[in-house]
Amino acid sequence: MGQARTVTAAVALAGALVFLVQVSSFGVRRVAVAGSLLAVAALVTVSFAGIATFAGADRSWAAGWVTAATGWIWLGPVLAVVLLASAALMARLPDRSVP
């Protein structure tokens, strides 16, 4: 499990350095979104790598929980994007209140 975290940390560091160099050409928003997606993907990868530490029936139990948790991990970012997009859209709509 420790090796999986070390590899994931190294990949995250390399990715952060690449994104740091690309900020000027891609823009902050695109780099932030790409970094967020990469972070979630790394978290999911490490979770599945951790299943290897379990043996026998415990491994099936852990796989079930990791698979279920993966769905919940994606729920938060998707909900946040929907709420932020809705707020941005509402801010751009003209005020149609009755005088």
Side-chain angles (χ1 to χ4, degrees):
M1 180 73 173
Q3 291 174 342
R5 284 185 287 207
T6 302
V7 170
T8 304
V11 170
L13 179 62
L17 292 175
V18 169
F19 285 145
L20 182 64
V21 173
Q22 299 299 326
V23 168
S24 61
S25 61
F26 289 125
V28 174
R29 180 178 291 165
R30 286 184 179 173
V31 171
V33 168
S36 299
L37 292 175
L38 202 72
V40 171
L43 178 63
V44 171
T45 302
V46 168
S47 299
F48 278 104
I51 294 173
T53 62
F54 292 90
D58 290 340
R59 183 174 290 174
S60 298
W61 172 84
W65 277 102
V66 168
T67 303
T70 300
W72 286 104
I73 288 171
W74 283 105
L75 182 64
V78 168
L79 184 60
V81 167
V82 168
L83 291 174
L84 290 173
S86 297
L89 179 62
M90 294 302 288
R92 291 184 180 200
L93 291 176
D95 184 19
R96 298 201 186 266
S97 59
V98 177

Coordinates of all heavy atoms in Angstrom, one line a residue:
M1 N 0.8 -1.2 0.0 CA 0.0 0.0 0.0 C 0.9 1.3 0.0 O 0.6 2.2 -0.6 CB -0.9 -0.1 1.2 CG -1.8 1.1 1.3 SD -3.1 1.0 0.1 CE -4.1 2.4 0.7
G2 N 2.0 1.2 0.7 CA 2.9 2.4 0.8 C 3.5 2.7 -0.6 O 3.7 3.9 -0.9
Q3 N 3.8 1.6 -1.3 CA 4.4 1.9 -2.6 C 3.4 2.5 -3.6 O 3.8 3.4 -4.4 CB 4.9 0.5 -3.2 CG 6.1 0.0 -2.5 CD 6.4 -1.4 -3.0 OE1 5.6 -2.1 -3.7 NE2 7.6 -1.8 -2.7
A4 N 2.1 2.1 -3.5 CA 1.1 2.7 -4.3 C 0.9 4.2 -4.0 O 0.8 5.0 -4.9 CB -0.2 2.0 -4.2
R5 N 1.0 4.6 -2.8 CA 0.9 6.0 -2.4 C 2.1 6.8 -2.9 O 2.0 7.9 -3.3 CB 0.7 6.1 -0.9 CG -0.7 5.8 -0.4 CD -0.8 6.1 1.0 NE 0.0 5.1 1.8 CZ -0.3 4.7 3.0 NH1 -1.3 5.2 3.6 NH2 0.4 3.7 3.6
T6 N 3.3 6.1 -2.8 CA 4.5 6.8 -3.3 C 4.5 7.1 -4.7 O 4.8 8.2 -5.2 CB 5.7 6.0 -2.9 OG1 5.7 5.8 -1.5 CG2 7.0 6.7 -3.3
V7 N 4.0 6.1 -5.5 CA 3.9 6.2 -7.0 C 2.9 7.3 -7.3 O 3.1 8.1 -8.2 CB 3.6 4.9 -7.6 CG1 3.3 5.1 -9.1 CG2 4.8 3.9 -7.5
T8 N 1.8 7.2 -6.6 CA 0.7 8.2 -6.9 C 1.2 9.6 -6.6 O 0.9 10.6 -7.3 CB -0.6 7.9 -6.1 OG1 -1.0 6.6 -6.4 CG2 -1.7 8.8 -6.4
A9 N 1.9 9.8 -5.5 CA 2.4 11.1 -5.1 C 3.4 11.6 -6.1 O 3.4 12.8 -6.5 CB 3.1 11.0 -3.7
A10 N 4.3 10.7 -6.7 CA 5.3 11.1 -7.7 C 4.5 11.5 -9.0 O 4.9 12.5 -9.6 CB 6.2 9.9 -8.0
V11 N 3.5 10.8 -9.3 CA 2.7 11.1 -10.6 C 2.1 12.5 -10.4 O 2.0 13.3 -11.3 CB 1.7 10.0 -10.9 CG1 0.8 10.5 -12.0 CG2 2.5 8.8 -11.3
A12 N 1.5 12.7 -9.2 CA 0.8 14.0 -8.9 C 1.8 15.1 -8.9 O 1.5 16.2 -9.5 CB 0.2 13.9 -7.5
L13 N 3.0 14.9 -8.4 CA 4.0 16.0 -8.5 C 4.4 16.3 -9.9 O 4.5 17.4 -10.3 CB 5.2 15.6 -7.6 CG 6.4 16.6 -7.6 CD1 5.9 17.9 -7.0 CD2 7.6 16.0 -6.9
A14 N 4.6 15.2 -10.7 CA 5.0 15.4 -12.1 C 3.9 16.1 -12.8 O 4.1 17.1 -13.6 CB 5.3 14.1 -12.7
G15 N 2.6 15.7 -12.6 CA 1.5 16.4 -13.2 C 1.4 17.8 -12.8 O 1.1 18.7 -13.6
A16 N 1.6 18.1 -11.5 CA 1.5 19.5 -11.1 C 2.6 20.4 -11.7 O 2.3 21.5 -12.1 CB 1.7 19.5 -9.6
L17 N 3.8 19.8 -11.9 CA 4.8 20.6 -12.6 C 4.5 20.9 -14.1 O 4.7 21.9 -14.6 CB 6.2 19.9 -12.5 CG 6.7 19.8 -11.1 CD1 8.0 19.0 -11.0 CD2 7.0 21.2 -10.5
V18 N 3.9 19.8 -14.7 CA 3.5 20.0 -16.1 C 2.4 21.1 -16.2 O 2.4 22.0 -17.1 CB 3.0 18.7 -16.7 CG1 2.3 18.9 -18.1 CG2 4.2 17.7 -16.9
F19 N 1.4 21.0 -15.3 CA 0.3 22.0 -15.3 C 0.8 23.4 -15.0 O 0.4 24.4 -15.6 CB -0.8 21.6 -14.3 CG -1.6 20.5 -14.8 CD1 -2.1 19.5 -13.9 CD2 -2.0 20.3 -16.1 CE1 -2.9 18.5 -14.3 CE2 -2.7 19.2 -16.6 CZ -3.2 18.3 -15.7
L20 N 1.8 23.5 -14.1 CA 2.4 24.8 -13.8 C 3.0 25.5 -15.0 O 2.8 26.7 -15.2 CB 3.4 24.6 -12.7 CG 4.1 25.9 -12.2 CD1 3.1 26.8 -11.5 CD2 5.2 25.5 -11.2
V21 N 3.7 24.7 -15.8 CA 4.3 25.2 -17.0 C 3.2 25.6 -18.0 O 3.3 26.6 -18.8 CB 5.3 24.2 -17.6 CG1 5.8 24.7 -19.0 CG2 6.4 24.0 -16.7
Q22 N 2.1 24.9 -18.1 CA 1.1 25.1 -19.1 C 0.0 26.1 -18.7 O -0.9 26.4 -19.5 CB 0.3 23.8 -19.4 CG 1.3 22.7 -19.9 CD 1.9 23.1 -21.2 OE1 1.3 23.7 -22.0 NE2 3.1 22.6 -21.4
V23 N 0.1 26.7 -17.5 CA -1.0 27.7 -17.1 C -1.1 28.8 -18.1 O -2.2 29.3 -18.5 CB -0.7 28.2 -15.7 CG1 -1.5 29.4 -15.4 CG2 -0.9 27.1 -14.7
S24 N 0.1 29.3 -18.5 CA 0.0 30.5 -19.4 C -0.6 30.2 -20.8 O -1.2 31.1 -21.4 CB 1.4 31.1 -19.6 OG 2.3 30.1 -20.2
S25 N -0.4 29.0 -21.3 CA -1.0 28.7 -22.6 C -2.4 28.1 -22.5 O -3.2 28.4 -23.4 CB -0.1 27.7 -23.3 OG 0.0 26.5 -22.6
F26 N -2.8 27.4 -21.5 CA -4.2 26.9 -21.4 C -5.1 27.8 -20.6 O -6.3 27.7 -20.7 CB -4.2 25.5 -20.8 CG -3.6 24.4 -21.7 CD1 -2.5 23.7 -21.2 CD2 -4.1 24.2 -22.9 CE1 -2.0 22.7 -22.1 CE2 -3.6 23.3 -23.8 CZ -2.5 22.5 -23.3
G27 N -4.6 28.5 -19.6 CA -5.5 29.3 -18.8 C -5.7 28.6 -17.4 O -5.6 27.4 -17.3
V28 N -6.0 29.4 -16.4 CA -6.1 28.9 -15.1 C -7.3 28.0 -14.9 O -7.2 26.9 -14.3 CB -6.2 30.1 -14.1 CG1 -6.5 29.6 -12.7 CG2 -4.9 30.9 -14.1
R29 N -8.4 28.3 -15.5 CA -9.6 27.5 -15.4 C -9.4 26.1 -15.9 O -9.7 25.1 -15.3 CB -10.8 28.2 -16.1 CG -12.1 27.3 -15.9 CD -13.2 28.0 -16.6 NE -13.6 29.2 -15.7 CZ -14.4 30.1 -16.1 NH1 -14.9 30.1 -17.3 NH2 -14.6 31.2 -15.4
R30 N -8.9 26.0 -17.1 CA -8.6 24.7 -17.7 C -7.6 23.8 -16.9 O -7.8 22.6 -16.8 CB -8.2 24.8 -19.2 CG -9.2 25.2 -20.1 CD -8.7 25.2 -21.5 NE -9.8 25.6 -22.5 CZ -9.6 25.8 -23.7 NH1 -8.3 25.7 -24.2 NH2 -10.5 26.2 -24.5
V31 N -6.6 24.5 -16.5 CA -5.6 23.8 -15.7 C -6.2 23.3 -14.4 O -5.9 22.2 -13.9 CB -4.3 24.6 -15.5 CG1 -3.4 24.0 -14.5 CG2 -3.6 24.9 -16.8
A32 N -7.0 24.1 -13.7 CA -7.6 23.7 -12.5 C -8.6 22.6 -12.6 O -8.6 21.6 -11.8 CB -8.4 24.9 -11.9
V33 N -9.4 22.6 -13.7 CA -10.3 21.5 -14.0 C -9.5 20.2 -14.3 O -9.8 19.1 -13.7 CB -11.2 21.8 -15.2 CG1 -12.0 20.6 -15.6 CG2 -12.2 22.9 -14.8
A34 N -8.5 20.3 -15.1 CA -7.7 19.1 -15.4 C -7.0 18.6 -14.1 O -7.0 17.3 -13.9 CB -6.6 19.4 -16.5
G35 N -6.5 19.4 -13.3 CA -5.8 19.0 -12.1 C -6.8 18.3 -11.1 O -6.5 17.4 -10.5
S36 N -8.0 18.9 -11.1 CA -9.0 18.3 -10.2 C -9.4 16.9 -10.7 O -9.5 16.0 -9.9 CB -10.3 19.2 -10.2 OG -10.0 20.4 -9.7
L37 N -9.6 16.7 -12.0 CA -9.9 15.4 -12.5 C -8.8 14.4 -12.3 O -9.0 13.2 -11.9 CB -10.3 15.5 -14.0 CG -11.6 16.3 -14.3 CD1 -11.7 16.4 -15.8 CD2 -12.8 15.6 -13.7
L38 N -7.6 14.9 -12.4 CA -6.4 14.0 -12.2 C -6.3 13.6 -10.7 O -6.0 12.4 -10.4 CB -5.1 14.7 -12.6 CG -4.0 13.9 -12.9 CD1 -4.2 13.2 -14.3 CD2 -2.7 14.7 -13.0
A39 N -6.7 14.5 -9.8 CA -6.6 14.2 -8.4 C -7.6 13.1 -8.0 O -7.4 12.2 -7.3 CB -6.8 15.4 -7.6
V40 N -8.9 13.3 -8.6 CA -9.9 12.3 -8.3 C -9.5 10.9 -8.9 O -9.7 9.9 -8.3 CB -11.3 12.7 -8.9 CG1 -12.3 11.6 -8.8 CG2 -11.7 14.0 -8.1
A41 N -9.0 10.9 -10.1 CA -8.5 9.7 -10.7 C -7.4 9.0 -9.9 O -7.4 7.8 -9.7 CB -8.0 9.9 -12.1
A42 N -6.5 9.8 -9.4 CA -5.4 9.2 -8.5 C -6.0 8.6 -7.3 O -5.6 7.6 -6.8 CB -4.4 10.3 -8.2
L43 N -7.0 9.3 -6.7 CA -7.6 8.8 -5.5 C -8.3 7.5 -5.7 O -8.2 6.5 -4.9 CB -8.6 9.8 -4.9 CG -9.4 9.4 -3.7 CD1 -8.4 9.3 -2.5 CD2 -10.4 10.5 -3.4
V44 N -9.0 7.4 -6.8 CA -9.7 6.1 -7.1 C -8.7 5.0 -7.4 O -8.8 3.9 -7.0 CB -10.6 6.3 -8.4 CG1 -11.2 5.0 -8.9 CG2 -11.8 7.2 -8.0
T45 N -7.6 5.3 -8.1 CA -6.5 4.3 -8.4 C -5.9 3.8 -7.1 O -5.7 2.6 -6.9 CB -5.5 5.0 -9.3 OG1 -6.1 5.4 -10.5 CG2 -4.4 3.9 -9.6
V46 N -5.6 4.7 -6.2 CA -5.0 4.2 -4.9 C -6.0 3.4 -4.1 O -5.6 2.4 -3.5 CB -4.5 5.5 -4.1 CG1 -4.2 5.1 -2.7 CG2 -3.3 6.1 -4.8
S47 N -7.3 3.7 -4.2 CA -8.3 3.0 -3.5 C -8.3 1.5 -4.0 O -8.3 0.6 -3.2 CB -9.7 3.6 -3.6 OG -9.7 4.9 -3.1
F48 N -8.3 1.4 -5.3 CA -8.3 0.0 -5.8 C -7.0 -0.7 -5.6 O -7.0 -1.9 -5.4 CB -8.6 0.0 -7.3 CG -10.1 0.1 -7.6 CD1 -10.7 1.3 -8.0 CD2 -10.9 -1.0 -7.4 CE1 -12.0 1.4 -8.3 CE2 -12.3 -0.9 -7.6 CZ -12.9 0.3 -8.1
A49 N -5.9 0.0 -5.5 CA -4.6 -0.6 -5.2 C -4.6 -1.2 -3.8 O -4.0 -2.2 -3.5 CB -3.5 0.3 -5.4
G50 N -5.3 -0.5 -2.9 CA -5.4 -0.9 -1.5 C -6.1 -2.2 -1.3 O -5.9 -2.9 -0.3
I51 N -6.9 -2.6 -2.3 CA -7.6 -3.9 -2.2 C -6.7 -5.1 -2.1 O -6.9 -6.1 -1.4 CB -8.6 -4.1 -3.3 CG1 -9.7 -3.0 -3.3 CG2 -9.2 -5.5 -3.4 CD1 -10.6 -3.0 -4.5
A52 N -5.5 -4.9 -2.7 CA -4.5 -6.0 -2.7 C -4.0 -6.4 -1.3 O -3.5 -7.5 -1.1 CB -3.3 -5.6 -3.6
T53 N -4.2 -5.5 -0.4 CA -3.7 -5.8 1.0 C -4.7 -6.8 1.7 O -4.3 -7.3 2.7 CB -3.6 -4.5 1.8 OG1 -4.8 -3.9 2.0 CG2 -2.6 -3.6 1.2
F54 N -5.9 -7.0 1.2 CA -6.9 -7.9 1.8 C -6.7 -9.3 1.2 O -6.3 -9.4 0.1 CB -8.3 -7.4 1.6 CG -8.6 -6.1 2.3 CD1 -8.4 -4.9 1.8 CD2 -9.1 -6.2 3.6 CE1 -8.6 -3.7 2.4 CE2 -9.4 -5.0 4.3 CZ -9.2 -3.8 3.7
A55 N -7.1 -10.3 2.0 CA -7.0 -11.7 1.5 C -8.4 -12.4 1.6 O -9.2 -12.0 2.5 CB -6.0 -12.4 2.3
G56 N -8.6 -13.3 0.7 CA -9.8 -14.2 0.8 C -11.1 -13.4 0.7 O -11.3 -12.5 -0.2
A57 N -12.0 -13.7 1.5 CA -13.4 -13.1 1.5 C -13.3 -11.6 1.9 O -14.1 -10.8 1.4 CB -14.3 -13.8 2.5
D58 N -12.3 -11.2 2.6 CA -12.1 -9.8 3.0 C -11.8 -9.0 1.7 O -12.2 -7.8 1.7 CB -11.0 -9.6 4.0 CG -11.4 -10.2 5.4 OD1 -12.6 -10.3 5.6 OD2 -10.4 -10.4 6.2
R59 N -11.1 -9.6 0.8 CA -10.8 -8.8 -0.5 C -12.1 -8.5 -1.2 O -12.3 -7.4 -1.7 CB -9.9 -9.6 -1.4 CG -9.5 -8.8 -2.6 CD -8.5 -9.5 -3.4 NE -7.2 -9.5 -2.7 CZ -6.1 -10.1 -3.0 NH1 -6.1 -10.8 -4.1 NH2 -5.0 -10.0 -2.3
S60 N -13.1 -9.5 -1.3 CA -14.3 -9.2 -2.0 C -15.1 -8.1 -1.2 O -15.7 -7.2 -1.8 CB -15.2 -10.5 -2.0 OG -14.5 -11.4 -2.8
W61 N -15.1 -8.2 0.1 CA -15.7 -7.2 0.9 C -15.1 -5.8 0.7 O -15.9 -4.8 0.4 CB -15.6 -7.5 2.4 CG -16.1 -6.5 3.4 CD1 -17.3 -6.3 3.8 CD2 -15.3 -5.5 4.0 NE1 -17.4 -5.2 4.7 CE2 -16.1 -4.7 4.8 CE3 -13.9 -5.2 4.0 CZ2 -15.7 -3.7 5.6 CZ3 -13.5 -4.1 4.8 CH2 -14.3 -3.4 5.5
A62 N -13.8 -5.7 0.6 CA -13.1 -4.4 0.4 C -13.4 -3.9 -1.0 O -13.6 -2.7 -1.2 CB -11.6 -4.6 0.6
A63 N -13.5 -4.8 -2.0 CA -13.7 -4.4 -3.4 C -15.1 -3.8 -3.5 O -15.4 -2.8 -4.2 CB -13.6 -5.6 -4.3
G64 N -16.1 -4.4 -2.8 CA -17.4 -3.9 -2.8 C -17.5 -2.5 -2.2 O -18.1 -1.6 -2.8
W65 N -16.8 -2.3 -1.1 CA -16.8 -0.9 -0.5 C -16.1 0.1 -1.3 O -16.5 1.2 -1.4 CB -16.2 -1.0 0.9 CG -17.3 -1.4 1.9 CD1 -17.4 -2.7 2.4 CD2 -18.3 -0.7 2.5 NE1 -18.4 -2.7 3.3 CE2 -19.0 -1.5 3.3 CE3 -18.7 0.7 2.3 CZ2 -20.1 -1.0 4.1 CZ3 -19.8 1.1 3.0 CH2 -20.5 0.3 3.9
V66 N -15.0 -0.3 -1.9 CA -14.2 0.7 -2.8 C -15.0 1.0 -4.0 O -15.1 2.2 -4.4 CB -12.8 0.1 -3.1 CG1 -12.2 0.9 -4.2 CG2 -12.0 0.0 -1.9
T67 N -15.7 0.1 -4.6 CA -16.5 0.3 -5.8 C -17.7 1.3 -5.4 O -18.0 2.2 -6.2 CB -17.0 -1.0 -6.4 OG1 -15.9 -1.8 -6.7 CG2 -17.8 -0.7 -7.6
A68 N -18.3 1.0 -4.3 CA -19.4 1.9 -3.9 C -18.9 3.3 -3.6 O -19.5 4.3 -3.9 CB -20.1 1.3 -2.7
A69 N -17.8 3.4 -2.9 CA -17.2 4.7 -2.5 C -16.8 5.5 -3.8 O -16.9 6.7 -3.8 CB -16.0 4.5 -1.6
T70 N -16.4 4.8 -4.8 CA -16.0 5.5 -6.1 C -17.2 6.3 -6.6 O -17.0 7.4 -7.1 CB -15.5 4.4 -7.1 OG1 -14.4 3.8 -6.5 CG2 -15.1 5.1 -8.4
G71 N -18.3 5.7 -6.6 CA -19.5 6.4 -7.0 C -19.8 7.7 -6.2 O -20.1 8.7 -6.7
W72 N -19.6 7.5 -4.9 CA -19.8 8.7 -4.0 C -18.7 9.8 -4.2 O -19.0 10.9 -4.1 CB -19.8 8.3 -2.6 CG -21.1 7.6 -2.2 CD1 -21.3 6.3 -2.0 CD2 -22.4 8.2 -2.0 NE1 -22.6 6.0 -1.8 CE2 -23.3 7.2 -1.7 CE3 -22.8 9.5 -2.1 CZ2 -24.6 7.4 -1.5 CZ3 -24.2 9.8 -1.9 CH2 -25.1 8.7 -1.6
I73 N -17.5 9.3 -4.6 CA -16.4 10.3 -4.8 C -16.8 11.1 -6.0 O -16.6 12.3 -6.0 CB -15.1 9.5 -5.1 CG1 -14.5 8.9 -3.8 CG2 -14.0 10.4 -5.7 CD1 -13.4 8.0 -4.0
W74 N -17.4 10.6 -7.1 CA -17.7 11.3 -8.3 C -18.9 12.2 -8.0 O -19.1 13.2 -8.7 CB -18.0 10.4 -9.5 CG -16.7 9.9 -10.0 CD1 -16.1 8.7 -9.9 CD2 -15.7 10.7 -10.8 NE1 -14.9 8.6 -10.6 CE2 -14.7 9.8 -11.1 CE3 -15.7 12.0 -11.3 CZ2 -13.6 10.2 -11.9 CZ3 -14.6 12.4 -12.0 CH2 -13.6 11.5 -12.3
L75 N -19.8 11.8 -7.1 CA -21.0 12.6 -6.9 C -20.7 14.0 -6.4 O -21.4 14.9 -6.9 CB -21.9 11.8 -5.8 CG -23.2 12.5 -5.5 CD1 -24.1 12.5 -6.8 CD2 -23.9 11.8 -4.4
G76 N -19.8 14.1 -5.5 CA -19.5 15.5 -5.0 C -19.0 16.4 -6.1 O -19.6 17.5 -6.2
P77 N -18.0 16.1 -6.9 CA -17.5 17.0 -7.9 C -18.6 17.3 -8.9 O -18.7 18.5 -9.4 CB -16.3 16.3 -8.5 CG -15.8 15.4 -7.5 CD -17.0 15.0 -6.7
V78 N -19.4 16.3 -9.3 CA -20.5 16.6 -10.3 C -21.5 17.5 -9.8 O -21.9 18.5 -10.4 CB -21.1 15.2 -10.7 CG1 -22.4 15.5 -11.5 CG2 -20.1 14.4 -11.6
L79 N -21.9 17.3 -8.5 CA -22.9 18.2 -7.9 C -22.3 19.6 -7.8 O -23.0 20.6 -8.0 CB -23.2 17.7 -6.5 CG -24.3 18.5 -5.7 CD1 -25.6 18.5 -6.5 CD2 -24.5 17.8 -4.4
A80 N -21.0 19.7 -7.4 CA -20.4 21.1 -7.3 C -20.3 21.8 -8.6 O -20.6 23.0 -8.7 CB -19.0 20.9 -6.7
V81 N -20.0 21.1 -9.7 CA -20.0 21.7 -11.0 C -21.4 22.1 -11.5 O -21.6 23.2 -12.0 CB -19.4 20.7 -12.1 CG1 -19.7 21.2 -13.5 CG2 -17.9 20.5 -11.8
V82 N -22.4 21.3 -11.2 CA -23.8 21.7 -11.5 C -24.2 23.0 -10.8 O -24.8 23.9 -11.3 CB -24.8 20.5 -11.3 CG1 -26.2 21.0 -11.3 CG2 -24.5 19.4 -12.2
L83 N -23.9 23.0 -9.5 CA -24.3 24.2 -8.7 C -23.5 25.4 -9.1 O -24.1 26.5 -9.2 CB -24.0 23.9 -7.2 CG -24.9 22.9 -6.6 CD1 -24.5 22.6 -5.1 CD2 -26.4 23.4 -6.6
L84 N -22.2 25.3 -9.4 CA -21.4 26.5 -9.9 C -21.9 26.9 -11.2 O -22.0 28.1 -11.5 CB -20.0 26.1 -9.9 CG -19.3 26.0 -8.5 CD1 -17.9 25.4 -8.6 CD2 -19.3 27.3 -7.7
A85 N -22.2 26.0 -12.1 CA -22.7 26.4 -13.5 C -24.0 27.1 -13.4 O -24.3 28.1 -14.1 CB -22.7 25.2 -14.4
S86 N -24.9 26.6 -12.5 CA -26.2 27.2 -12.3 C -26.1 28.6 -11.8 O -26.7 29.5 -12.2 CB -27.1 26.4 -11.4 OG -27.3 25.1 -11.9
A87 N -25.2 28.8 -10.8 CA -25.0 30.1 -10.2 C -24.4 31.1 -11.2 O -24.8 32.2 -11.3 CB -24.0 30.0 -9.0
A88 N -23.5 30.6 -12.1 CA -22.9 31.4 -13.1 C -24.0 31.8 -14.1 O -24.0 33.0 -14.6 CB -21.7 30.7 -13.8
L89 N -24.8 30.9 -14.5 CA -25.9 31.2 -15.4 C -26.9 32.2 -14.9 O -27.3 33.1 -15.5 CB -26.6 29.9 -15.8 CG -27.8 30.0 -16.8 CD1 -27.3 30.6 -18.1 CD2 -28.5 28.7 -17.0
M90 N -27.3 32.0 -13.6 CA -28.2 32.9 -13.0 C -27.6 34.3 -12.8 O -28.3 35.3 -12.9 CB -28.6 32.4 -11.6 CG -29.4 31.1 -11.6 SD -30.9 31.2 -12.6 CE -31.9 32.2 -11.5
A91 N -26.3 34.4 -12.6 CA -25.7 35.7 -12.5 C -25.7 36.4 -13.9 O -25.7 37.7 -13.9 CB -24.3 35.6 -12.0
R92 N -25.8 35.7 -15.0 CA -25.7 36.3 -16.3 C -27.1 36.7 -16.8 O -27.2 37.4 -17.8 CB -25.0 35.4 -17.3 CG -23.6 35.3 -17.0 CD -22.9 34.5 -18.1 NE -21.5 34.4 -17.8 CZ -20.6 34.1 -18.7 NH1 -21.0 33.8 -19.9 NH2 -19.3 34.0 -18.4
L93 N -28.2 36.1 -16.2 CA -29.5 36.4 -16.7 C -29.9 37.8 -16.3 O -29.6 38.3 -15.2 CB -30.5 35.4 -16.1 CG -30.4 33.9 -16.6 CD1 -31.4 33.0 -15.9 CD2 -30.6 33.9 -18.1
P94 N -30.7 38.5 -17.1 CA -31.1 39.8 -16.8 C -32.2 39.7 -15.6 O -32.9 38.8 -15.5 CB -31.8 40.4 -18.1 CG -32.1 39.2 -18.9 CD -31.1 38.1 -18.5
D95 N -32.2 40.8 -14.9 CA -33.2 40.9 -13.8 C -34.6 41.2 -14.3 O -34.8 42.2 -15.0 CB -32.8 42.0 -12.8 CG -33.6 42.1 -11.6 OD1 -34.3 41.0 -11.3 OD2 -33.6 43.1 -10.9
R96 N -35.5 40.3 -14.1 CA -36.9 40.4 -14.6 C -37.9 40.6 -13.5 O -39.0 40.2 -13.6 CB -37.2 39.2 -15.4 CG -36.3 39.0 -16.7 CD -37.0 38.1 -17.7 NE -36.2 37.8 -18.8 CZ -36.1 38.5 -19.9 NH1 -36.9 39.5 -20.1 NH2 -35.3 38.1 -20.9
S97 N -37.4 41.2 -12.4 CA -38.3 41.5 -11.3 C -39.3 42.6 -11.7 O -39.0 43.4 -12.5 CB -37.6 41.8 -10.1 OG -36.8 43.0 -10.3
V98 N -40.5 42.5 -11.1 CA -41.5 43.5 -11.4 C -41.2 44.7 -10.6 O -40.9 44.7 -9.4 CB -42.9 42.9 -10.9 CG1 -44.0 43.9 -11.1 CG2 -43.2 41.6 -11.7
P99 N -41.3 45.9 -11.3 CA -41.0 47.1 -10.6 C -42.0 47.5 -9.5 O -43.1 47.2 -9.5 CB -40.9 48.2 -11.7 CG -41.5 47.6 -12.9 CD -41.6 46.1 -12.7

